[in-house]
Structure formats: structure tokens, C-alpha cells
Amino acid sequence: MTETNLALQANNISVTYHSRTGLFKSFKFQALNNVSFKVKRGETFGVMGRNGCGKSSLLRVLAGVYQADAGELVTHDIATRTLLTLGLGFDATLSGADNAILSMMLQGFSREEAKAYLPAVRNFSELGDFFERPVKTYSSGMRSRLGFSTGITTQTDLLLIDETLAVGDKTFNAKAEKAMMERIDSDQTVIFVSHSGAQVQKICQRAICLERGKLVAEGDVKDVAQEYANINDKKLD
Amino acid sequence: MFIKSLVLAHTMAAMRLKSEASKLYLSYLWWILEPMLYVAVFYFAFSYLLNRGGENFLVFLMCGKIPLMWYTKTLIKNSMSLTTGKGLMGQRDFPKFVFPYSHTLEAAYKETVVYLFLVAFVWLYGFEAGVEWLYLLALVPVMLLLILSTGMVAAYITVYVPDFRMIIAMFTMALLFVSGVFWDVRALPDPRMTELMLIYNPFAFMLDAHRQVLMYRTAPDWTQLGYIAGGAALLLLIMHGWFASQSQRIARRLYS
């Protein structure tokens, strides 16, 4: 792999949280421990891991929400990134339409551009009249539909997807998957994060597996999925 | 980049105004009702029960309570602005000063209506209107500078020390008592105290300046107004730069 076709490179990324439990008591929790990997331009890269493996922290570092405590993230020609994730990123008192506009403005679009995209987002989301209602009245499925529709409608250099396909009804899932596959075929760099090894296997070529913040497998998605299945089996015993 | 952030702040403010108004039955009417209800309570307590206040006490109260309430209400909103903005911060990195800016803008839009009401009320009450009332246009930007600069300090501290909002609640209460809302800073028994209050309590000065302009058609003390504006502008500049440099750290703190 030459440097020129790389989209991003994570070098020894670590994230440690310090949580206070009392006035003078606190505990340390290492969410990510020395994680390194490379993502090629235009590829769909998978990250699998169980709950609490550090997926959310990794996505936030990749999205640039905050920096890792140690290590570095090197990106190549990535100006815009879109994070598709459930239950986060909304102002619950505002309507779905307003939230979609804010999301697009945060991605770097002007207000006019965002407004122009709005009918497409509304259409894709299938939210109907709920699109104009406050997000706090939404079910979790509706929230994820809003988030996914906003993210998929606009163009972005790096698309980060967090298990979005797992929620919503069957027909919407099929549509979302189709839209994603179109992106995947169209040279879009995608990082797909899920606790389901099968889902990652379905759409990614290469993947990594995280367990308790550590990278435990890396490479071809079949091998990584096998390794991930072994970890899950071990936990069941 | 800065213009883009300002547009974003304005958009957020406009969206919140719209959603707030659709939630309440009397919607926009509350912008005027709320300060007037406070003024009515004060008037009842001081003028009717305690038989204090003297001539034109109602207008006197309004000229003090309305600007102070603008300040304290926005300060409280601003202090929580980063914490409540956590959801949007989770989408990507962007300058976090957008949050206090948007809450300050939102309050300023409301206050425009309240100030117009105040001026109309003073006029209908029987005070003679004059060009001197235009001095208000000099007071309002200074109020904005005070609100935004101190609001950003409060927002930043609250991210790291959530208990700080208790201090802010006490601070706003203290301001109500020491800034001359229901007593006249110019009628203190000790004239030296009047002088000290006007120099060292910017809020006492600002409330008094509102009265000087609206009730007595007198220009504010420009030197003192300039000091307050300069100090607040300097603080704002520092906080703006600090927020820009701390953007990812603020998000990191809120997500740990």
C-alpha cells in the first residue's frame, strides 16, 4: 500500500477517560489502547467489536470531534467528514428539518445549500409530517432514519457509519443499504462500525476487530470476522 | 470562517425562537409579560406594602429591572450553553463559541421587542420623548458586550465545574440587590457610596444610565461607559480566542 492511495492513517491512538466518583476519588478507563490501522481511498473499511470495545470513542476521534490523548490521526485530502450514529447529534427541542439544516451547516454547507437539500432528506427519511415536529417526539427508529437520511443525501469525503442499518423497519433498512452500496461502489471512503460481524462481512473488504480498546485482529474481513466469532464464543463459555 | 460561525449562531437562535414560541400558549407575548410580572410584584411590595419608592416608581422599576433581567437570564442560558450543545458537538469539530453567541443573539432578538415596549410605556406614562432617547443605542451594545463576555466565562467554567451554576444563581440574585433595581443609587445616604457604586459596579452604572436617558433625557457618563465597554470587549476577545483554541478539549471533556 503506497502513501498516495491512503485516505487516513491511525497511529497508536489511545483515549483514556478519568471519571470522578467522589470528591477525591476517580477511576481511569482506557477506551482505546494503542490502536493503529490504515484506510485506503475509496474502500469500505469495517470495525467490529462488542459493546464497550471502544467503537464510539474511535468514531469520535475519526470524526474529529476530539483528539486522541496519545498517537495521531493522519488524513489525506479529507475536508468533510460525516458521522452517522444513533441517538446523538440532535437538538431534541428542534424539528427534524431544523436539525437536518444544522447538521448540513456543520458539515460545511451554507444555509441556502442545506435548505436546497432539505426536500431530498425529507423524502428519503419517510418521516412525513414528523419531519417538521420536534426530535424529542421521535422514536429511536425515526431518529436513526433522520440521521441516516441527512448524512447520505450530502456528499462527503469520509462517511463514518455506526450500526445505523440495525434499526428502522425492514423496507427502510433495505433502502438504506441500497443507498450505502451505491456510495460504496462510487469511490466513497466509508468506515463502518458494528457489533455484528456478519453485517461488516457483507459490505467491507478489510476490517479490524477491537476488544476492550485493543486491536485484536486486522486484515481480510473473513479472517477478522472469524477471530471476532471466536472471541464471542469464548465469552459465552 | 467567522462569518460562517455567525450565520450558524443566528440560524440556531432563530430556530430556538420558533420552537419556543410554538410550545407556549401565549408564545411571544411572554417576552413582555415576564418582565412586567416581576415589575408588578416589586411595585406591590415596595410601593403598596412598604410605601416607598416615590414619584414615577413604576417607570423607575422598569428601567432597572428590564435591562438587569436581560443580563441575568442570558447569563444563566449562556452558562449552560456548552453542556446543552453536547449533542451537536458529537457530529464534528467546530468553534464552540457558536453556542454562547447563539444564546446571546436569541436573547437580543427578544430584547429588541421588550425595549421597544419599554420606550413606548415610558412615553405613554407621560414622559416627554426627546432625541436624547437615542442614547439608548449606545447603551445596548455595551449591554451586549457585558452579556457575551461574562456569559462565555460562565459557560467555560460550567463545563469543568458543573457546580458553578449554583454560584451563578446566587450571583444573579446578588446583582438584583446591589445594583439599584428598587432603590436609587443616586439617593444613597453617603454620596461617596454612590460614587463608588457607579465606578465599581458596572450594572449599577448601566441601570442608572437607562434611567438617566429615558426619564431625565440626560446623556450617560461617556468616560465610564467607555471603560465598561473596553473592559468587556477585552474580555470577549480573550474568551473568543480561548474558545477557538479549546474547541476539541471542550468536546472531549463533555464526552468523558
Side-chain angles (χ1 to χ4, degrees):
Chain A
M1 192 183 306
T2 59
E3 294 295 318
T4 48
N5 64 8
L6 275 185
L8 71 87
Q9 196 173 348
N11 297 328
N12 309 96
I13 283 181
S14 294
V15 172
T16 311
Y17 295 119
H18 301 264
S19 296
R20 236 183 38 183
T21 48
L23 193 53
F24 300 109
K25 272 192 271 181
S26 73
F27 74 93
K28 266 208 291 195
F29 172 72
Q30 190 144 31
L32 289 173
N33 189 350
N34 236 348
V35 174
S36 302
F37 58 90
K38 289 172 181 174
V39 178
K40 285 185 277 188
R41 185 166 305 285
E43 94 170 313
T44 304
F45 188 82
V47 178
M48 48 187 111
R50 303 178 309 126
N51 285 337
C53 73
K55 283 176 296 189
S56 305
S57 301
L58 180 63
L59 275 174
R60 289 197 197 109
V61 172
L62 292 176
V65 170
Y66 51 69
Q67 283 176 333
D69 297 321
E72 59 168 356
L73 179 75
V74 186
T75 59
H76 306 278
D77 292 325
I78 288 181
T80 57
R81 322 173 198 195
T82 303
L83 174 60
L84 293 187
T85 177
L86 176 69
L88 160 127
F90 293 126
D91 186 327
T93 58
L94 299 181
S95 71
D98 283 352
N99 269 294
I101 290 176
L102 285 185
S103 289
M104 288 188 268
M105 286 177 78
L106 289 179
Q107 281 169 43
F109 293 98
S110 74
R111 196 152 55 125
E112 288 66 35
E113 285 169 326
K115 278 184 177 161
Y117 273 120
L118 213 53
V121 177
R122 188 187 204 274
N123 196 24
F124 194 99
S125 69
E126 298 174 8
L127 286 166
D129 290 343
F130 267 95
F131 195 57
E132 279 80 32
R133 289 182 196 156
V135 166
K136 64 181 175 202
T137 63
Y138 286 23
S139 67
S140 61
M142 290 162 93
R143 273 167 167 262
S144 78
R145 258 148 63 190
L146 175 67
F148 188 87
S149 309
T150 311
I152 205 80
T153 310
T154 53
Q155 291 298 320
T156 184
D157 296 332
L158 175 66
L159 189 59
L160 303 156
I161 304 176
D162 177 14
E163 309 197 9
T164 324
L165 292 186
V167 268
D169 56 59
K170 238 183 184 162
T171 47
F172 187 83
N173 280 357
K175 189 169 83 165
E177 213 174 304
K178 193 169 154 255
M180 253 185 57
M181 293 316 267
E182 276 167 19
R183 280 300 186 85
I184 288 162
D185 294 337
S186 72
D187 283 350
Q188 168 87 67
T189 309
V190 180
I191 297 181
F192 181 73
V193 177
S194 176
H195 67 275
S196 155
Q199 231 177 35
V200 174
Q201 219 174 335
K202 212 156 118 188
I203 54 174
C204 303
Q205 302 100 47
R206 295 191 317 119
I208 55 170
C209 173
L210 292 179
E211 172 69 10
R212 293 188 186 198
K214 282 188 183 155
L215 196 143
V216 290
E218 181 186 13
D220 186 77
V221 72
K222 274 189 202 124
D223 306 333
V224 177
Q226 186 56 49
E227 183 67 29
Y228 181 51
N230 291 344
I231 293 170
N232 280 333
D233 289 344
K234 236 182 269 168
K235 297 292 166 191
L236 286 177
D237 292 340
Chain B
M1 190 63 208
F2 177 64
I3 298 291
K4 230 175 181 175
S5 300
L6 270 191
V7 173
L8 182 62
H10 161 77
T11 308
M12 288 163 83
M15 285 172 174
R16 273 199 303 267
L17 284 180
K18 199 179 62 182
S19 97
E20 189 188 325
S22 63
K23 252 185 335 207
L24 303 169
Y25 284 114
L26 296 177
S27 115
Y28 295 116
L29 206 55
W30 277 113
W31 299 0
I32 289 167
L33 275 181
E34 195 190 2
M36 283 315 289
L37 286 174
Y38 275 103
V39 166
V41 170
F42 286 175
Y43 189 76
F44 173 76
F46 290 99
S47 191
Y48 186 73
L49 292 181
L50 292 170
N51 208 8
R52 277 160 188 256
E55 216 189 345
N56 301 324
F57 189 58
L58 190 60
V59 170
F60 177 90
L61 268 180
M62 282 173 70
C63 291
K65 182 62 186 168
I66 285 175
L68 188 71
M69 210 168 140
W70 177 20
Y71 178 80
T72 53
K73 283 200 74 172
T74 322
L75 181 70
I76 291 167
K77 276 268 172 72
N78 270 339
S79 70
M80 299 303 293
S81 62
L82 291 173
T83 319
T84 53
K86 181 181 164 181
L88 288 175
M89 285 182 205
Q91 293 194 5
R92 58 162 289 164
D93 181 40
F94 59 93
K96 305 300 186 281
F97 53 74
V98 164
F99 292 103
Y101 276 46
S102 82
H103 284 279
T104 306
L105 277 178
E106 181 190 348
Y109 298 153
K110 288 183 183 175
E111 211 58 26
T112 310
V113 180
V114 180
Y115 266 58
L116 286 176
F117 170 80
L118 173 66
V119 171
F121 189 94
V122 174
W123 181 62
L124 289 172
Y125 196 85
F127 283 86
E128 208 175 313
V131 278
E132 295 88 351
W133 280 8
L134 290 175
Y135 289 137
L136 265 190
L137 297 177
L139 298 183
V140 165
V142 181
M143 286 295 293
L144 270 173
L145 282 173
L146 275 173
I147 287 169
L148 190 53
S149 58
T150 54
M152 287 176 86
V153 174
Y156 184 76
I157 296 176
T158 309
V159 168
Y160 289 89
V161 190
D163 303 21
F164 193 66
R165 62 200 174 90
M166 308 302 277
I167 305 282
I168 290 169
M170 282 177 57
F171 175 68
T172 59
M173 180 63 84
L175 277 186
L176 176 65
F177 286 102
V178 302
S179 304
V181 174
F182 38 80
W183 45 266
D184 190 352
V185 69
R186 287 175 190 260
L188 292 177
D190 183 353
R192 263 182 39 235
M193 198 51 94
T194 297
E195 205 177 315
L196 286 176
M197 284 296 281
L198 288 175
I199 292 174
Y200 293 107
N201 183 350
F203 300 97
F205 175 84
M206 291 306 294
L207 304 194
D208 178 65
H210 277 80
R211 285 174 187 140
Q212 293 301 313
V213 170
L214 280 174
M215 295 172 73
Y216 310 112
R217 284 182 287 141
T218 309
D221 176 348
W222 296 113
T223 320
Q224 186 60 22
L225 189 68
Y227 278 131
I228 295 173
L234 184 67
L235 181 62
L236 176 62
L237 211 65
I238 294 169
M239 289 315 291
H240 186 91
W242 184 245
F243 267 55
S245 75
Q246 295 290 305
S247 182
Q248 286 182 316
R249 281 170 197 270
I250 290 170
R252 174 61 214 274
R253 173 69 197 189
L254 288 171
Y255 275 103
S256 36

